Every structure is written in C-alpha cells, then in structure tokens.
C-alpha cells in the first residue's frame, strides 16, 4: 500500500471535519478497503477510522424498530437477535475475522453488488441515518457500488423496523462465498418486500412482481414458476444470467417458505 | 493391540509441536543481516513484444539499490527443462529458451520483465511502478486447439509451431489397437476436460540469495521440495556456480503439492542479484503473484475410447490428449502427460491393447507442471469415467464390470511398458464394499428423494506408480537426472542418531515416521533419533520429495545405511564380547552372543566406536557413520478403490458430498495415522478438483481466477468425514520395507468417484447426462440438467 495518514476521531463531528480534506477516506472495518489499499488500487492521503466513535456503536431496541450504530460489527448484529433474519444474515457474512471487523455502515456505504446487508436494508425498509440526514433504503441504493451518500457523508446509524416475518436465503458463490444470489423477504406493515442481492448488474433491487404475488398470497406456491427476467442479471465464471435469474426464484420461494 | 512404537505404530507427529506453536522456521522467517528486497515487475499482458524498458526514473527513486532487466541476463543460462520427450517420429521435443527475466517478448501474464532491488519491499514496489515499459501487445494464444491450427500466432517465434511434441505410445501397436476397435462388440467414447489447477500451498514461495565475497560462496534459502535438484539445475545450468560453492537450504516448507519441485526464475534471480549487489536479496511472493507465477497443474483435453467384446471384456483402449505446457517448459513438464500418464492407462485392468497419443502445446499461460498426482490423476479420471460410462451403456453393475476386468496375476506386464510387481484389486474392492453399505443405498436414495434431492453413488479404482525409477531406465525415457535417493546415518558416541536424508518433509511427517524405521531396526527409542533434511550442506545428494517417493526410495536408502551401521556395530560388539561377529544378535538395543547370556548395550558399542580404547583398530575404523544411495529396481504400484455418495439439489445444482470411502493398498505401512492423514489431504484436493477449483483464462490470456474471490479452494465444510481402510496390503516386492507410497493416492483416486456419483444422481432424476466436466459447480450441474 501507499503511505497515508491515519486519524481516529472520537466524535462524528471530528470525523466529518477530518474527511473534509480532499482525498481523505473513511475507514469502517476495512474488510474491503484494506485489501484494496494493499493492492495499491486506492491512494487516500488520510484514512479516518470510524471505529473510535462511541455514538456509532451498538444496537438499541426501540420496540417497533432497532437502531444499529454505523460502526457496529457484524458479530454484534449476529448475536443481537431482535430481528432474527437480520442476525442470521450477519452471522453468515465472511468468516469470524471479517465479522469482528466489518461494520454495517461500511458494507452499506460500499454497496457491493454481492454483499448481504444491502438486501436486508432494502428488504426491511430500513432508514439510513447519516451525519446530515435520513435516507430511506428505497432511495439510498443507486446501482452497483453507488449510493445516495455525498462526499464525506458518514452513515452514523441504520434504523430497522421490525418485520412481522422475515427470512434471508443466500446461495453462495463457491469461491468467495459472497452471495451469488441472496434474497431477503420481509412481511412488513406496509406489505411484502423482496430484496435481491448478488444477481443484478444494477446491484440490490426489489423484485416487485414477486412482492405483488406475495401480497395476494404469502406462500411459496404464489411464486411457482416465477423468476425475474435474465436480462440485466450478472453473468460471470460462477453463473450465467439465466442461472442467476432462476436462483432468484428458488431462493425467494425458500425464503417465503422459511417465514411461515 | 496396535504397536506403540516402531514400524506400524502411530506416534503423533513430533514436528507439529513447532508448527502448531508458531516455532516453525520457514524461509520468510529467515532474515539475513543487510538484506535488500526485490519486487518483480510482471507482465500484465499475455503476449507482447518489448520495444523498450526505461528504468532511469525508477533508478533514482528512494532506496533503490539496483534494477535488473533481461539485458542483465544475456549470456547467462535460462531455466532448464529436466526431461526431454522424444516424439512419435523419433524427434526431440521443441524446447524454447526460458530466460530468468523476459528478453524481447513476454509470454504470459506474470512473466517477469524487470526486478527492482531496494532497501524495503515498498520502495522496490514504488520504483517498479516508475519503470516505463513499451510493450506492443500481440494476439494471445490461449485455446490449445487454436494454438495448433494453421497460421496460429506462435508463442515462440524461433520454434516451428506451438506443438512441443506429438507423442504416441506405443506407436507400433496403434494398427492393432485400431483393428480391435473395428471388431469390438461395443465402444464407449468420452470427451472430457481435466481442468487447469493452481496448487495453492499455504506458504507462498520465498527466495533469499546470499553471497560471501570472502569465500566466494553462495547460499540460497528457498521454499523447495528438493534442494539438491535446485543446486544442480541452478548451479550447473543457469548461473554456472560450482556446486561446492553453492548451498541450498529449504527449511520448514508449508506445503508443496508438486509446485515447489521446480526451479524458478526468482530463485536464480536472488542468487544472481546477491552477488551483483553484494547484498543478501529477499523475495516473498504475494498470493496474487503465486497465482501467476507458480507452475499450474493438469489442463488436459482428452478423448478416450474403450472397446469391449460381447462378454464385456475390455479389448482395447485409445486416448487422444492435448496437454497444455503453458508459455515455457517448467522443470518436469514434458514428463507429466507422457511417462507419468501414458504408462498408467492400463489402470487396474487387463486391457491387452492400448494406444495413447499426447500432443503438448505452448500457450500464453503460466507454465504447467506436476501437481499432486502429476499425470496419474489425468489417466485415472479418463479411464474410470469411461469404464463407468461403459457400464451404464451396457446396463451392467459398475463394480462387477471392473471386477471382471481386473488384473489378478502378478507380476503383470502392462501393454504400456510398466510391470506391476504386486497388487490385489479384488482385495481393495472387497475392503471398499465393507465400508459403504451398498445394500442400504436404495433406502438412502429414497430418503433423499423424499427431501427433494437426488442421490448418487460413484465408485472407481486407481493404480498409481510411485518412486519413479530406476535411473538408467528413466534416463532412456528422457530424464536428465537420476532418481535415486540417499541417507546418512550418523550415530553419536552416546548412541543417539541423526539421519541426514535427501527427501524433504513439507507436510509428510518424515521427522516422525523415518525414525520409527531406524528405531525398529536397532531396537532403541524413537526419541533417540532425529531426521535432518533440507540443507545441501548437511545432507547427502538426494533428489527430494515428490511422486510419493520418500519412504519407498529415501526410506530404502535409510534402511541400507542403517544395515551398514548394524553390521559394523556387531563387529564392535563381537570385539567387546570376545566372540565372533557371526554369533552376535541385536535385539531391543542389546547385542548378545547367541546361546549365551553375554551382552552389551547399544550405548556401550557406540561409545566404544568413538572412544576406541578397547577396539579392533587394526580391522575397523573408529566412528559409526554410514551413507547409502538407493536406486529402486522399479516403480511401486499402490492401488485402491474409492466410493463417493452425493446429494444434488435439483433446484440449484449444488452437489454435497454425503460420504466418501477409500480402500487403499499401500503395502506395508510405517505410521498408519500419518498415512490416513495423507489420504485425507489427497481426497480433499481431489474433491476440490471435482467440485470447486478451476483456473480460467479469458480469450486474451488474462487470468480470470487470480485470487480466492474467484478460485474456489475446498474448505472444511466442503468435505465429509472420510472412511479409510488400509487393511489390504500386498507389500512391494523390490524394496526393503515393502512400502509403496501414499502421498498422491487421495488426489488421484477421488475425482472420478465424485463425478461418477454426480452422473448417477442426475440419471436417477431422469436427466440425460452422461458426463459433466470438473468442477461440477452448481451452475454447471444446473445447466446440465436444463440443457
């Protein structure tokens, strides 16, 4: 990696100030950024660690929803259990080392098209809380590695409403064990939400046809034979676009079945 | 009651104490005073002409000691190839030059163009980024068939084509083989790919060159399976260093699997640069570099045909293979698809007529060489797949078809030039059937189907040829080295023993199992015996560890040397006991006079050897140290039968291994626990090949699987608990221990049974699938079901 300066502020305000420098870069758990730096594919002048900010840590249960600090690691979400599907998802990200360093804010800010968390945030209709505003998940994800965040904006917390029922089904890419296809299904007060990660060239998306079918009949049978259009699905060494489209159908049916 | 010491006991591996407590001493743990670091600037294109290299800006960067390019190596030897194959017309293979740093052209992604030696790794890397290379990209040759087509771009301009050799084996028999196919009652044909693999030892390669101006001595510390082979190849053929001025040290090595046999450019570079810079020079490979610079394995495309008569006897076999050599010939690359592959095509069967054709091809990819099994997995996979396919086409039981065609009389001369000394293929198949509860399979399949899954059972046999030898024969076949090994047994005055061996241990457990043999022979405790290996300044000239040869070849040398020790010790004991040497018996570390109660202990004799006050100095020399070289009379032939049960999820195509059983015949076994471990590891790699691993290049020669994000290594939860049985033992007839070798069996024997099981599962679900190429990944299996 190239040389950089390192800052570890203890407040969001100090972090925002530190990120004001051009070419400064926020560092969450570093599970994507550090390997990128080691390969010399990025050269920030300053890394601003968010791990020393106590107000961004931990999970609070507000009854109808939970609020997860942006710097909360996957292992803490996994052991929380207030939303079982979310905890299960977090408990299957990476390996123990990743889960004890990687953070929910870092994952959502990166918006890797194969990451698990984006599907949970979108599937549960979460709200992304930043140092300046609150962004609904539906408005937040804007395509592969692209989000509504402005330069220097920090995810301080994620507010997640508790669903009536929810489940996440992940079909692992054999090498990386990221989601080749991951489907988060949630039955919420506002209706059924189906969020798909890993599959689309546009990143995480809601499968609206499935949601419509499930709003009429929340059962796997309601999705019989359904799959999204293969056009626009990712095609790579690990699966064609047709295979991914097919898997979206399979994983959605399994998630629905597991909800009931 | 199992033995608790000596041959046949299972003491825990003594070397694991240091490995598991962080006390190992790997090459990267070695830091030589004053060392500088090298970073290699590697090609990012698969094929290109180097129009110019400008290092002037880079040379002025902080910390730079010296920058090297191909020009610095003009007049210096290239990396040699250790095996010359003769083609079917009697002509030698085409053998291109392999420069240490690229000269004129780059020929694969990762080909080193320049090397920066600097005070730190990061400074070397910074400077490498400042080197300006003007490369004119050329069309890449990736696909083997395209590489052989008329007018194809040549990887090496000075060769006549991209064909390394066209090998026919045995060419004179081909008309008879073809005639048998004309009269066959049934012919089964199968086209398949044995995919390219990356060995991925846990420890990446490392090299440190050191040079003393005071003594003109060179030292190379390197991650090698065979330090003396490196000393000979690099000293004699690349750098012209007299062997007595070159010390090669391979300390603890974290796995090799074949890929650390070969002599690599980085080793020669560090040795050369240490003298040129008058500084020790260290290189540690990153994992990314390993993917594009460690020799790869396999990469065959094969058509195999099996002819049977009306009674289902195998009457003829013919195969046609394209074998990828990559851009250059790695050390033993030409031998792998030929002498380590063609000679195994008889397998366990008495097929009387066999013809093997292999065309080896140059492409713009990383060189391909031996990887655990080396040629034998490729032979076994195609043979055991075509036998299974034949059984399905004929509607006969796959085990019965195999049993019907087993070789049952030994020694057996195959039609592919080797003679199996011993074996019992029904014995291992019986042992396998004892492990797998075949009768219960129907019920297990029904249970799987109830859960929406397809279940399959696959079986295969294998034969392996280990301890490749004898040297005079392999020399006729094109080997440019001998294939003996050596051991020196050095007894101290107080009776403890150091055994200096030519074999190298990098996961095989020699430090535990070799002493068991010496302890058994002398009758002393294993704790009195240590193995010394890996340092050319300490050990006799041995050829190292590969091809499951260590115990069969080096172990035999150790036995011979120990026999010499015992013979001399008996003479000393006879003197001490005032008896004739012929009357001296050695048992449990005590020398006694037959028929009397007179005895002296091992320690009394060893002390006398080194404090020879009461000693027959006029008849024998003082001291107790003996060396033996052992050149085997033949290969050894381990064999076995494996079975795999899988479940396939028809909705996703995902294959899970429900059980795996292995019945091997390794002859006599020194340490059953270590042997089990070797088999477990081999099966893990075989399952990795069958289901997960795949090294892929795109049409431009870019490596698509350059990291673990895309190259799928097997993990603990990808494999089941294995059932292994080594009770069927037919000892090797020509080595003193009756041992055969076990290191590669698992990797050779496991892929076919996995794929046979997947095909069985898919057919049980009504799918018209007769073959699926490895890896049987979820997407491939799903595609096969939905074609």
């Amino acid at each position: 990696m190239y040389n950089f300066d390192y800052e570890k502020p203890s407040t969001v305000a100090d972090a925002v100030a530190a990120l004001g420098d051009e070419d400064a870069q926020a560092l969450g758990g570093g599970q994507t950024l550090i390997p990128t730096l080691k390969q010399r594919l990025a050269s920030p002048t300053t890394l601003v660690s968010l791990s020393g900010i106590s107000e961004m840590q931990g999970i609070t249960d507000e009854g109808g929803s939970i609020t997860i600090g942006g710097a909360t690691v996957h292992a803490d979400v996994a052991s929380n259990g207030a939303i079982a599907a979310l905890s299960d998802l977090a408990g299957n990200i990476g390996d123990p080392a990743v889960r004890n360093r990687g953070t929910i804010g870092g994952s959502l800010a990166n918006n890797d098209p194969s990451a698990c968390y984006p599907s949970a945030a979108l599937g549960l209709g979460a709200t992304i809380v930043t140092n300046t505003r609150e962004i609904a998940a539906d408005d937040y994800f804007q395509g592969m590695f692209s989000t509504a965040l402005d330069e220097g904006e920090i995810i301080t917390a994620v507010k997640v409403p508790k669903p009536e029922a929810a489940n996440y089904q992940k079909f692992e890419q054999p090498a990386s064990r990221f989601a080749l296809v991951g489907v988060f299904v949630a039955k919420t007060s506002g209706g059924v939400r189906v969020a798909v990660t890993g599959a689309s060239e546009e990143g995480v998306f809601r499968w609206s046809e499935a949601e419509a079918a499930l709003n009429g009949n929340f059962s796997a049978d309601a999705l019989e034979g359904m799959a999204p259009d293969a056009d626009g699905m990712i095609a790579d060494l690990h699966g064609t676009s047709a295979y991914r489209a097919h898997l979206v159908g399979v994983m959605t049916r399994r998630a629905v079945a597991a909800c009931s | 009651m199992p033995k608790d010491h000596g041959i046949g006991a299972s003491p825990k591996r003594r070397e694991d104490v240091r490995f598991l407590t962080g006390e190992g001493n790997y090459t990267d743990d070695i830091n030589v005073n004053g060392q500088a670091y090298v970073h290699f600037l590697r090609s990012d294109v698969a094929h290109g002409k180097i129009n110019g290299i400008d290092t002037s800006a880079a040379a002025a960067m902080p910390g730079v000691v010296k920058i090297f390019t191909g020009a610095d190596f003009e007049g210096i030897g290239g990396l040699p190839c250790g095996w010359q194959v003769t083609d079917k017309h009697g002509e030698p293979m085409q053998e291109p030059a392999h420069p240490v740093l690229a000269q004129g052209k780059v020929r694969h992604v990762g080909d080193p163009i320049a090397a920066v030696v600097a005070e730190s790794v990061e400074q070397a890397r910074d400077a490498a980024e400042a080197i300006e290379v003007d490369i004119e990209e050329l069309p890449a040759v990736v696909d083997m068939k395209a590489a052989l087509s008329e007018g194809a771009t040549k990887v090496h301009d000075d060769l006549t084509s991209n064909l390394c050799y066209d090998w026919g084996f045995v060419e004179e028999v081909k008309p008879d083989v073809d005639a048998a196919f004309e009269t066959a009652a049934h012919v089964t044909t199968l086209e398949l790919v044995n995919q390219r693999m990356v060995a991925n030892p846990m420890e990446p390669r490392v090299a440190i060159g050191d040079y003393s101006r005071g003594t003109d001595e060179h030292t190379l510390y390197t991650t090698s399976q065979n330090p003396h082979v490196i000393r000979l190849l690099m000293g004699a053929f690349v750098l012209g260093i007299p062997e007595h001025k070159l010390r090669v040290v391979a300390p603890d090595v974290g796995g090799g699997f074949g890929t650390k046999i070969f002599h690599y450019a980085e080793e020669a570079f560090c040795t050369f640069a240490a003298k040129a810079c008058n500084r020790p020079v260290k290189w540690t490979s990153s994992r990314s570099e390993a993917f594009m610079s460690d020799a790869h394995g396999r990469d065959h495309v094969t058509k195999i045909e099996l002819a049977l008569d009306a009674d289902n006897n195998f009457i003829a076999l013919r195969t046609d293979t394209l074998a990828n050599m990559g851009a250059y010939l790695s050390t033993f690359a030409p031998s792998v698809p030929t002498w380590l592959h063609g000679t195994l095509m008889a397998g366990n069967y008495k097929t009387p007529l066999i013809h093997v054709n292999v065309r080896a091809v140059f492409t713009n990819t990383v060189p391909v060489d031996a990887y655990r099994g080396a040629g034998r997995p490729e032979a076994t996979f195609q043979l055991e797949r075509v036998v299974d396919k034949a059984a399905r086409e004929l509607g006969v039981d796959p085990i019965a078809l195999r049993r019907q065609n087993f070789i049952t009389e030994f020694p057996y001369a195959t039609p592919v030039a080797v003679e199996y000394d011993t074996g019992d293929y029904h014995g291992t198949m019986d042992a396998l059937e004892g492990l797998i509860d075949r009768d219960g399979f129907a019920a297990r399949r029904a249970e799987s189907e109830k859960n929406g899954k397809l279940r399959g059972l696959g079986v295969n046999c294998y034969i392996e040829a280990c301890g490749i030898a004898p040297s005079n024969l392999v020399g006729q076949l094109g080997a440019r080295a001998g294939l003996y090994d050596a051991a020196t047994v050095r007894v101290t005055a107080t009776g403890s023993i150091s055994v200096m061996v030519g074999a190298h241990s990098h996961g095989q457990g020699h430090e535990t199992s070799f002493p068991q043999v010496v302890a058994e022979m002398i009758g002393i405790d294993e704790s009195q015996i240590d193995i010394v290996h890996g340092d050319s300044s300490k050990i006799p000239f041995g050829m190292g560890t590969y091809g499951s040869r260590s115990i069969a070849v080096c172990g035999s040398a150790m036995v011979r040397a120990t026999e010499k020790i015992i013979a001399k010790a008996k003479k000393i004991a006879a003197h001490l006991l005032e008896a004739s040497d012929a009357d001296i018996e050695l048992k449990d570390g005590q020398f006694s006079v037959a028929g009397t109660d007179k005895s002296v202990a091992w320690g009394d004799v060893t002390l006398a050897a080194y404090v020879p006050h009461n000693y027959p100095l006029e008849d024998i020399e003082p001291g107790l140290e003996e060396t033996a070289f052992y050149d085997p009379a033949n290969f050894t032939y381990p064999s076995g039968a494996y079975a795999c049960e899988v479940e396939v999820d028809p909705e996703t195509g995902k294959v899970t291994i429900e059980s795996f059983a292995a019945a091997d015949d390794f002859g006599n076994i020194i340490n059953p626990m270590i042997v089990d471990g070797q088999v477990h590891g081999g099966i893990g790699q075989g399952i990795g090949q069958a289901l997960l691993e795949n090294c892929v290049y795109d049409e431009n020669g870019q490596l698509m699987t350059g990291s673990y994000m895309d190259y799928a290594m097997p993990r603990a939860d990808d494999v089941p608990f294995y059932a292994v049985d080594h009770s069927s033992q037919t000892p090797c007839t020509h080595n003193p221990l009756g041992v055969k070798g076990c290191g590669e069996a698992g990797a050779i024997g496991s892929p076919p049974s996995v794929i046979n099981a997947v095909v069985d599962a898919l057919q049980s679900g009504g799918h018209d699938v007769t073959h699926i190429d490895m890896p049987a990944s979820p997407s491939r299996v799903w595609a096969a079901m939905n074609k």
Side-chain angles (χ1 to χ4, degrees):
Chain A
M1 54 181 71
Y2 298 107
N3 278 337
F4 53 81
D5 293 326
Y6 177 77
E7 292 195 31
K8 192 174 179 182
S10 55
T11 66
V12 171
D14 287 350
V16 170
L19 285 168
D21 276 357
E22 202 182 347
D23 297 330
Q25 168 74 47
L27 173 68
Q31 299 307 293
T32 301
L33 181 56
I34 298 297
T36 305
L37 295 177
K38 285 166 90 172
Q39 293 196 52
R40 296 190 161 202
L41 296 174
S43 52
T45 53
T46 306
L47 280 191
V48 181
S49 171
L50 306 179
S51 63
I53 303 171
S54 54
E55 61 195 288
M56 283 174 59
Q57 295 283 349
I59 301 163
T60 50
D61 193 331
E62 283 114 10
S65 65
I66 61 173
T67 297
I68 305 170
T72 305
V73 297
H74 310 330
D76 289 346
V77 177
S79 61
N80 177 266
I83 301 174
L86 181 64
S87 294
D88 289 348
L89 173 150
N92 282 305
I93 298 173
D95 56 25
V98 169
R99 292 195 288 276
N100 282 284
R101 289 298 304 174
T103 65
I104 188 169
S107 175
L108 294 175
N110 191 43
N111 192 21
D112 187 304
S114 300
C116 294
Y117 263 136
S119 70
L122 190 59
L124 290 165
T127 301
I128 315 300
V129 183
T130 78
N131 55 304
T132 58
R133 56 185 168 148
E134 296 195 351
I135 311 169
D138 285 323
D139 302 323
Y140 175 82
F141 298 103
Q142 301 193 346
M144 201 180 265
F145 296 111
S146 177
T147 70
L149 291 177
D150 292 327
E151 202 68 28
E153 191 173 1
I154 297 170
I155 297 175
T156 55
V158 183
K159 280 193 205 163
V160 189
K162 291 182 183 174
E164 291 167 26
N167 186 263
Y168 178 62
Q169 292 288 324
K170 173 183 179 182
F171 192 82
E172 291 175 343
Q173 193 254 54
S176 68
R177 296 198 173 181
F178 275 63
L180 189 73
V181 166
V183 178
F184 200 104
V185 170
K187 208 173 166 181
T188 73
S189 53
V192 176
R193 296 172 70 97
V194 177
V196 180
T197 188
S200 170
E201 289 173 343
E202 300 301 316
V204 67
F205 69 98
R206 285 175 66 182
W207 185 18
S208 47
E209 292 84 354
E211 292 178 353
L214 291 169
N215 277 324
N217 171 16
F218 192 78
S219 79
D221 294 342
L223 302 173
E224 194 54 45
M226 280 178 68
D229 196 332
D231 282 351
M233 292 289 161
I234 296 168
D236 62 14
L237 285 177
H238 306 287
T240 59
S241 50
Y243 180 56
R244 278 188 167 81
H246 165 78
L247 282 181
V248 172
V250 173
M251 292 298 123
T252 307
R253 285 191 286 278
R254 289 183 182 182
V256 172
C259 279
S260 47
Chain B
M1 175 86 181
K3 290 178 71 171
D4 62 1
H5 67 282
I7 292 174
S10 288
K12 288 192 174 159
R13 301 192 343 156
R14 58 172 75 171
E15 50 268 69
D16 284 346
V17 174
R18 70 176 190 275
F19 295 155
L20 297 176
T21 57
E23 296 294 319
N25 181 39
Y26 296 90
T27 309
D28 194 52
D29 293 323
I30 295 170
N31 292 295
V32 185
N33 191 31
Q35 74 193 9
Y37 299 84
V38 59
H39 179 81
F40 291 96
L41 175 64
R42 296 180 184 276
S43 177
D44 57 8
V45 300
H47 196 191
K49 181 166 172 285
I50 301 173
N51 288 326
I53 305 174
D54 183 354
T55 61
S56 53
M61 301 269 290
V64 172
V65 175
K66 191 167 165 55
I67 299 176
F68 297 80
T69 66
D72 294 292
F73 285 82
E74 276 171 20
I76 289 167
L79 303 176
C81 181
W83 201 298
Q84 184 182 61
V85 166
T86 301
D87 75 7
K88 65 184 183 188
H89 309 296
E91 297 296 319
M93 66 188 189
Q94 293 207 79
E95 192 169 356
H98 187 178
V100 174
L101 296 176
Q103 293 183 348
K105 265 174 88 169
V106 289
R107 295 186 176 85
H108 66 84
V109 169
D111 210 358
I113 298 168
V116 180
V117 178
E119 299 294 339
S120 74
V121 175
E122 291 297 317
Q123 287 173 329
R125 211 168 156 182
D126 287 344
E129 288 181 1
I131 296 175
E132 290 178 26
V133 185
D134 175 6
I135 289 191
E136 176 188 340
E137 197 168 346
L138 299 169
V141 181
V142 179
D143 177 73
M144 287 193 279
K145 279 186 185 137
L148 294 182
S149 64
E150 196 67 31
T153 302
K154 286 194 288 185
V155 177
H156 296 276
D157 300 331
D158 54 334
L159 302 187
T160 58
S161 68
N162 292 317
L163 180 68
C164 179
Y165 55 74
D166 184 351
W167 188 73
F169 185 63
V170 176
E171 197 59 15
E172 295 71 32
V173 179
K174 188 165 192 306
D176 296 339
V177 173
D178 291 343
F181 272 88
E182 295 299 318
T183 63
H186 184 86
V187 173
T188 296
T189 303
L190 180 61
E191 294 185 46
L192 56 85
V193 174
N194 201 302
Q195 82 271 31
R196 181 180 282 242
M197 303 280 286
V198 183
N200 280 303
M202 194 181 291
E203 176 205 32
R205 289 189 296 119
V206 183
I208 307 168
D210 192 13
Y211 175 71
S212 165
R213 278 190 180 181
T215 60
D216 193 31
E217 288 173 330
H218 297 260
T219 302
L220 170 67
Y221 302 92
T222 185
T223 47
S224 176
Q225 300 175 216
N226 30 244
H228 272 116
V229 173
I230 304 304
R231 193 183 76 177
L232 179 62
L233 291 175
M234 187 180 79
F237 295 101
V238 185
L239 300 177
I241 300 169
E243 275 189 87
H244 72 294
K245 291 290 192 188
L246 173 58
R247 175 185 172 210
V248 178
V249 184
D252 286 331
V253 172
F257 312 114
T259 203
K260 290 176 182 167
I261 297 171
F262 322 120
H263 176 41
Y264 285 97
E266 295 86 356
E267 297 171 317
F269 176 82
C270 289
T271 307
F272 177 85
K275 183 173 182 180
C277 301
N278 197 31
R279 293 273 296 270
V281 172
K282 181 173 188 174
W283 171 70
T284 301
S285 174
S286 68
R287 188 59 67 180
S288 306
E289 276 184 290
F291 271 100
M292 58 173 125
S293 67
D294 288 5
H296 293 171
R298 316 276 193 262
D299 206 348
H300 287 193
V301 176
T302 292
K303 179 181 180 185
I304 182 168
E305 298 165 284
L306 175 65
L308 301 95
D309 69 13
D311 298 321
N312 297 341
N313 297 308
F314 302 165
I315 58 169
L317 184 79
R318 64 185 171 198
T319 79
D320 186 16
T321 288
L322 291 177
N324 205 333
M325 295 285 102
Y328 303 100
L329 289 178
S330 177
T331 309
F332 291 113
S335 68
V336 174
T338 51
W339 300 107
L340 295 175
H341 164 253
T343 51
L344 271 294
M345 283 315 310
N348 306 59
Y349 311 109
K350 52 193 178 199
T351 317
L353 288 164
I354 298 175
H355 182 262
V356 180
N357 185 239
V358 178
R359 284 170 290 161
V361 186
F362 294 111
T363 60
N364 291 116
T365 60
V366 168
V368 179
D369 206 327
Y371 165 65
R372 201 170 191 172
R376 292 151 291 175
E378 296 91 318
T380 304
F381 184 72
Q382 55 179 291
L383 179 61
E384 292 297 321
R385 282 291 301 124
V386 82
V387 168
D388 224 64
K389 186 162 184 260
R392 293 184 174 282
E393 288 173 357
L394 295 164
V396 298
D397 179 73
I399 292 181
L401 181 65
R402 287 177 168 87
R403 284 186 183 270
Q404 175 186 340
N405 285 282
F406 275 162
I407 296 160
T408 53
E409 291 176 17
F410 297 89
Y412 176 83
T414 72
V416 277
V418 292
E419 183 176 284
Y420 301 162
D421 60 336
T422 182
D424 178 4
Y425 307 147
H426 285 293
T428 48
M429 186 60 87
D430 291 344
L432 181 75
E433 294 205 61
L435 292 173
I436 63 174
D437 181 25
R438 210 173 173 212
D439 293 342
F441 177 71
R444 295 194 293 279
R445 171 173 275 173
E447 185 64 26
S448 295
E449 286 172 354
K450 228 164 43 182
N451 297 321
K453 302 286 174 59
L454 301 173
R455 197 176 188 100
L457 171 64
V459 171
N460 70 269
C461 299
Y462 76 89
I463 179 94
E464 188 184 356
C466 305
I468 177 170
S471 294
N472 50 6
L473 172 68
V474 297
Q476 289 171 23
L477 305 183
R480 290 165 167 163
L483 283 161
Y484 50 84
D485 219 289
T488 296
V489 177
R490 177 179 293 161
V491 183
T492 65
T494 49
S496 62
I497 299 173
S498 295
V499 186
M500 281 66 80
V501 293
H504 189 281
S505 188
H506 38 274
Q508 294 84 354
H510 297 170
E511 293 175 33
T512 301
S513 58
F514 279 36
Q516 290 179 245
V517 174
V518 177
E520 174 94 15
M521 290 177 72
I522 298 174
I524 58 175
D525 195 82
E526 283 138 25
S527 64
Q528 297 296 298
I529 304 160
D530 269 353
I531 298 301
V532 177
H533 64 97
D535 183 340
S536 70
S537 71
K538 294 180 179 173
I539 62 173
F541 193 106
M543 299 307 292
T545 289
Y546 41 82
S548 308
R549 72 193 298 273
S550 295
I551 196 69
V553 186
C554 189
S556 296
M558 180 177 69
V559 169
R560 292 285 186 249
T562 306
E563 286 169 352
K564 292 186 194 180
I565 291 284
I566 290 170
K568 183 173 179 183
K570 281 183 174 176
K571 285 184 182 169
I572 301 168
H575 176 86
L576 295 175
L577 293 165
E578 297 175 336
S580 158
D581 355 325
D583 294 334
I584 301 296
E585 292 174 346
L586 171 60
K587 188 163 187 289
D588 296 335
Q590 291 286 324
F591 296 89
S592 56
V593 181
T596 76
D597 60 356
K598 288 167 62 179
S599 71
V600 287
W602 168 252
D604 298 326
V605 171
T606 61
L607 189 65
Y610 287 93
V611 188
H613 297 165
N614 175 16
Y615 195 87
L617 287 167
E618 60 283 2
D619 295 327
I620 49 177
E621 298 167 3
L624 205 47
E625 174 167 330
E626 298 287 351
T627 294
F629 285 70
Y630 182 83
D631 203 298
N634 191 356
F635 296 93
T636 65
Y637 298 96
S639 61
Y642 283 16
C644 177
E645 239 174 87
V646 300
E647 256 189 6
V648 178
D649 178 346
E651 285 193 312
T652 64
K654 186 171 170 58
V655 176
T656 50
I657 297 193
E658 298 299 311
S659 67
F660 199 102
D664 303 282
D665 173 2
F666 294 133
N668 293 333
I669 287 174
I670 308 301
N671 183 316
M673 177 199 71
I674 287 178
V675 168
D676 286 356
Q678 288 287 304
V679 172
H680 291 180
I683 296 172
Q685 282 180 302
I687 289 173
Q689 175 164 24
L691 295 183
L692 293 158
E693 299 182 54
N694 196 14
C695 179
V696 181
Y697 284 93
D698 73 6
E699 68 277 12
N700 298 316
Q702 289 294 328
L703 183 58
M704 305 291 284
T705 50
S707 79
Y708 295 136
M709 290 299 282
D710 288 300
Y711 189 91
M713 291 292 284
R715 306 186 202 194
D717 62 357
D718 290 315
V719 298
F721 285 92
Y722 306 114
V724 296
D725 182 306
H726 301 135
S727 61
S728 180
Q729 297 183 356
T730 59
C732 171
T733 59
H734 57 79
N735 67 41
L737 288 167
V739 293
K740 295 184 173 181
C742 66
E744 296 160 295
I748 293 168
S750 53
S753 61
V754 177
I755 300 300
N756 289 346
V758 172
V759 170
D760 184 50
L762 296 182
Q763 291 195 356
S764 80
H767 297 285
D768 179 24
V769 176
T770 57
H771 177 68
I772 189 156
D773 271 325
M774 301 186 291
S777 61
S779 63
R780 275 194 182 166
V781 173
W782 181 79
M785 286 190 294
N786 293 280
K787 61 188 173 188

